[in-house]
Amino acid sequence: MIEAIVYSSYAGHTQMFAKLLGKETGLKVLSLDEAKALKEGTEIVYLGWLVGGNVANYEKAVKRFRIVAVGAVGMSAPGKQEPDIRKSNKLPDEVPVFELQGGYEPDKVHGIYKLMMKMMGGLIGKQLRAKPDRTPEEDEMLEMMKSGKNCVTGEQLAPLVNFIREA
């Protein structure tokens, strides 16, 4: 039985999703640090932000808890990264991955991540600007990298809410 939603957040998007999910399901919501109060082996849903294709702090969480589903929060629109997320995090086939678009807010990014985003934004931005047949998703990504955008919505959580209710 799922007992909690545990999350790791950097700029706040993952925390927002976790709180929305908790409100919708009635499960308690804890940061990974707060979750130390839970017993080892507790069944949880884990939400983490994507950094370099990895779900942040998943390795720490999986050592302590029984993760029954993963929410991967990134900048991109959901639907294309699941195989890469599963592979880079060594996620078992039986653990569903739910991609969630959190957004990007440049003023909330600091240190090494700011440098990484600047480099990535320059490279990807240059490629996208040069592309004559950009998709609407690519236009949105280009604009997000330039100005920032919070994409957190409760609607994105519907498949994960259904999974939790059916578990």
Side-chain angles (χ1 to χ4, degrees):
M1 185 171 124
I2 301 170
E3 291 189 37
I5 298 156
V6 177
Y7 70 91
S8 179
S9 189
Y10 180 77
H13 301 108
T14 307
Q15 181 182 34
M16 287 182 223
F17 275 125
K19 287 182 177 184
L20 285 170
L21 189 58
K23 185 176 179 183
E24 192 66 33
T25 62
L27 291 171
K28 60 184 150 195
V29 176
L30 304 164
S31 70
L32 187 56
D33 286 338
E34 294 168 334
K36 291 175 183 171
L38 297 173
K39 287 190 251 176
E40 280 196 37
T42 298
E43 274 192 14
I44 66 162
V45 171
Y46 182 73
L47 274 61
W49 57 288
L50 286 172
V51 56
N54 291 308
V55 178
N57 295 309
Y58 171 78
E59 287 181 11
K60 289 181 185 177
V62 78
K63 286 178 184 174
R64 181 159 174 83
F65 304 109
R66 184 167 172 271
I67 298 175
V68 298
V70 172
V73 180
M75 289 175 52
S76 300
K80 296 180 179 144
Q81 299 182 70
E82 192 258 340
D84 293 332
I85 293 167
R86 184 171 296 287
K87 183 179 177 182
S88 65
N89 292 278
K90 299 180 180 100
L91 293 168
D93 290 340
E94 65 273 10
V95 175
V97 175
F98 297 87
E99 294 177 57
L100 303 166
Q101 185 178 25
Y104 173 60
E105 297 179 66
D107 57 333
K108 292 184 178 181
V109 180
H110 306 286
I112 188 73
Y113 297 117
K114 189 170 196 85
L115 178 63
M116 286 171 51
M117 286 305 298
K118 186 173 182 166
M119 290 171 35
M120 186 178 89
L123 178 64
I124 293 172
K126 184 177 179 179
Q127 290 172 344
L128 287 177
R129 281 189 296 279
K131 189 175 178 190
D133 57 343
R134 287 192 306 261
T135 65
E137 292 84 13
E138 290 169 331
D139 284 337
E140 181 182 22
M141 179 64 72
L142 190 58
E143 183 60 31
M144 185 186 308
M145 293 179 91
K146 179 180 163 194
S147 305
K149 183 176 181 183
N150 181 342
C151 302
V152 175
T153 64
E155 291 81 26
Q156 289 188 67
L157 291 170
L160 183 49
V161 168
N162 290 337
F163 171 82
I164 291 169
R165 289 183 177 154
E166 293 171 8

